Amino acid sequence: MRFLFLGDVVGRTGREAITRNLPEWRKKLALDLVVVNGENASHGYGLSPDIARSLMSAGVDVITLGNHAWDRRDMIGHINQMPNIVRPINYPAGTPGQGSYIIDLERGRRALVINVMGRIFMDPLDDPFRVVSELLSRHRLGMTVNAIIIDIHAEATSEKMGFGQYFDGRVSLVVGTHTHVPTADHRILPKGTAYQTDAGMCGDYDSVIGMGKEAALHKLVRKIPGERPQPAEGEATVCGLLVETNDATGLATKVAPLRMGGHLAPNWPDF
């Protein structure tokens, strides 16, 4: 199985870069599955149902969220009808939506996508290690599903790395989101799980993590309230991770970053 995970989509430029390129990339890369973190896709804050549908129309199969999941209140009323939009699994019981989704793919294959949020410097949600472990007690690679993808939306690199090591050998991919900066540590862990601390963002890098520089710097330098930062409107860089797995085991055999357009050095996966 071959799948592409794209990092946090920030605003219009990030969305348009994906919708413009993804149909062609699905063919060129022979993708079976595309997962995108969309929690900043609607003007930098949250995800609207309409924007979610536009991403899906372009070829996105599953959308994960994070700490901005409910910035768009209209998503609260729609998420239960859109099961392939996955919010963090460790939100309290009774929260709308679901924290995981099993998608049926071609040739009878199935993939489980999990979204979970870290707790260091983040909201004090349920223990992400325990909650994901409980879910994985009901699903095993190569048996109930052919691939398992975990998006850990977290601030601390230590927590993301610990998560990858803890679930090494039990899932196909652990990839971090939230910090919007792609890390250079993509690799396959000792027991066969692909890993990257942060996939980066799909947005304008001539910015402060995707937001316009002036408003962001005003807040950082002066420490007084100002206008709400809005997404930068320059050319977007699309950042993500391509993973290939063994159908029999569900473990990763290849992993490579994808970076195209905008201001970062490009990288096109060579497999």
Side-chain angles (χ1 to χ4, degrees):
M1 185 183 301
R2 184 175 286 193
F3 54 84
L4 178 66
F5 182 94
L6 296 179
D8 309 51
V9 183
V10 181
R12 178 184 59 81
T13 57
R15 299 194 311 268
E16 291 182 352
I18 291 174
T19 56
R20 181 173 62 251
N21 291 295
L22 187 56
E24 179 183 0
W25 290 354
R26 285 202 73 131
K27 295 177 183 177
K28 280 188 174 182
L29 295 171
L31 298 174
D32 299 295
L33 174 66
V34 177
V35 181
V36 172
N37 185 288
E39 70 138 14
N40 299 124
S42 294
H43 311 291
Y45 301 93
L47 175 68
S48 72
D50 286 344
I51 287 176
R53 293 186 189 99
S54 72
L55 291 170
M56 294 172 194
S57 295
V60 175
D61 297 299
V62 182
I63 301 175
T64 56
L65 299 175
N67 59 301
H68 290 287
W70 312 124
D71 283 8
R72 286 295 303 251
R73 300 295 179 89
D74 47 353
M75 180 53 70
I76 297 174
H78 284 80
I79 195 168
N80 285 329
Q81 286 74 52
M82 305 177 80
N84 59 333
I85 299 177
V86 186
R87 49 82 173 159
I89 194 171
N90 51 337
Y91 272 129
T95 301
Q98 57 184 8
S100 65
Y101 178 66
I102 294 179
I103 182 170
D104 293 314
L105 304 170
E106 293 182 356
R107 303 202 302 274
R109 295 174 299 174
R110 309 169 82 211
L112 170 62
V113 180
I114 304 168
N115 186 204
V116 66
M117 200 145 79
R119 295 191 295 181
I120 299 175
F121 311 125
M122 303 284 281
D123 293 337
L125 301 182
D126 290 347
D127 178 2
F129 292 87
R130 178 184 60 79
V131 173
V132 172
S133 292
E134 288 178 357
L135 177 62
L136 294 183
S137 70
R138 304 191 296 274
H139 296 285
R140 293 188 62 185
L141 281 177
M143 297 181 67
T144 61
V145 291
N146 302 96
I148 301 175
I149 299 166
I150 299 179
D151 169 2
I152 175 166
H153 199 78
E155 189 79 45
T157 55
S158 59
E159 188 172 25
K160 295 177 186 181
M161 288 182 176
F163 211 80
Q165 297 290 352
Y166 188 78
F167 289 105
D168 183 21
R170 289 189 277 174
V171 303
S172 310
L173 169 67
V174 172
V175 60
T177 56
H178 179 64
T179 59
H180 293 201
V181 178
T183 54
D185 61 342
H186 65 280
R187 63 194 187 277
I188 297 176
L189 297 175
K191 297 179 183 178
T193 294
Y195 175 82
Q196 185 171 336
T197 299
D198 201 284
M201 72 172 179
C202 299
D204 178 9
Y205 275 87
D206 185 22
S207 65
V208 176
I209 61 169
M211 295 300 185
K213 291 180 282 188
E214 289 187 9
L217 291 173
H218 179 90
K219 181 178 179 181
L220 291 169
V221 174
R222 303 194 65 185
K223 294 296 182 183
I224 60 175
E227 65 180 62
R228 190 186 199 193
Q230 297 299 314
E233 293 291 324
E235 182 185 359
T237 304
V238 176
C239 291
L241 195 66
L242 179 67
V243 179
E244 189 170 279
T245 62
N246 181 303
D247 276 349
T249 65
L251 296 173
T253 57
K254 298 177 182 177
V255 59
L258 182 150
R259 291 187 306 274
M260 295 299 296
H263 300 277
L264 302 188
N267 188 80
W268 184 255
D270 60 359
F271 64 88

